[in-house]
Amino acid sequence: MAKILFVLTGASSWTLSDGTEHPTGFWAEEAVTPHRVLTAAGHEVVVATPGGVVPSVDRGSLDPAFNGGEEGARAVAEELEAMTALRHPVKLEEADLGDYAAVFYPGGHGPMEDLAVDPVSGRLLTDALDSGKPLGVVCHGPAALLAAERADGGWPFAGYRLTGFTNAEETQAGLADRAPWLLQDRLVALGADFQEGEPWTPHVVADRNLITGQNPASSGPLAERLLAALD
């Protein structure tokens, strides 16, 4: 059994371009599904957040419309409630990469608010990349990659094939014109080889030990790739 570090946003809102606060947090499916896959295989999940705050779920991610109906929404809510690690996060500042076999970042708009500018998270991501340990990041989770920086100022993920929530998906979700910046644009500007799949369909990209998923539908396939990389 291995220990897997789940790094979640500590933000409960996202500041839009007009200064208004958009309620958010982490996206339920992107935490629940990988947790299910990894724990069913016997692994232990430890949750970390900036400052050790209890992470907020994006209430929109519990809407039946995003979970295949009322039954699906109830199932996700029940799994979320059963994830006791969410209620007892460790401080990201105190997390030691050496204690974990892999690192995973779920999304939701929350990472756009805090992890995108968090130097502690940025150092962890750089160290995880350099360690060769499996590093999984999904949907808006790749916003955290923006905070990674080498001593010479270079971006550790430059040239990597990766994916994340696309401009097309942000537009279709109705938030692109209010966003202070778009994730795909920022990743491309830093030098990522961004791989865009069809909106809302599962799309996973693996390059060396980095495994990224485009959207919530990609969380299951990404978790399976992460699990396989642990063997």
Side-chain angles (χ1 to χ4, degrees):
M1 182 181 74
K3 290 172 66 175
I4 316 299
L5 184 66
F6 275 36
V7 180
L8 272 66
T9 176
S12 58
S13 63
W14 175 35
T15 307
L16 301 178
S17 57
D18 63 1
T20 59
E21 300 293 317
H22 177 71
T24 187
F26 69 91
W27 197 260
E29 180 182 359
E30 295 167 19
V32 164
T33 301
H35 180 272
R36 181 197 314 131
V37 169
L38 294 166
T39 57
H43 300 301
E44 178 187 354
V45 168
V46 175
V47 170
T49 62
V53 301
V54 175
S56 299
V57 64
D58 188 316
R59 303 309 300 179
S61 67
L62 300 177
D63 192 298
F66 295 116
N67 293 285
E70 293 285 352
E71 185 175 344
R74 280 195 300 272
V76 168
E78 289 171 1
E79 283 195 75
L80 202 61
E81 181 63 27
M83 287 177 62
T84 56
L86 287 172
R87 295 188 290 279
H88 305 282
V90 301
K91 293 181 179 179
L92 181 58
E93 299 84 349
E94 297 176 359
D96 184 346
L97 178 63
D99 295 335
Y100 303 97
V103 177
F104 172 67
Y105 279 66
H109 281 105
M112 304 274 280
E113 183 75 15
D114 62 351
L115 296 179
V117 293
D118 189 315
V120 173
S121 174
R123 286 192 295 272
L124 174 67
L125 285 163
T126 302
D127 291 346
L129 188 71
D130 292 346
S131 74
K133 295 179 180 183
L135 173 59
V137 195
V138 69
C139 200
H140 287 93
L145 306 185
L146 303 176
E149 186 178 18
R150 297 205 179 278
D152 63 1
W155 190 50
F157 298 91
Y160 273 77
R161 289 182 296 105
L162 55 80
T163 192
F165 205 67
T166 65
N167 291 354
E169 287 167 323
E170 202 73 84
T171 299
Q172 291 175 24
L175 286 167
D177 60 347
R178 302 173 65 197
W181 46 270
L182 297 177
L183 178 58
Q184 180 177 351
D185 289 348
R186 290 286 298 274
L187 292 169
V188 169
L190 281 173
D193 181 1
F194 194 92
Q195 307 283 304
E196 182 175 358
E198 289 296 318
W200 313 110
T201 61
H203 181 58
V204 174
V205 176
D207 188 347
R208 287 155 277 184
N209 60 318
L210 177 65
I211 309 168
T212 51
Q214 180 171 313
N215 47 38
S218 305
S219 59
L222 186 153
E224 295 290 352
R225 293 288 292 269
L226 194 62
L227 182 62
L230 287 166
D231 292 339

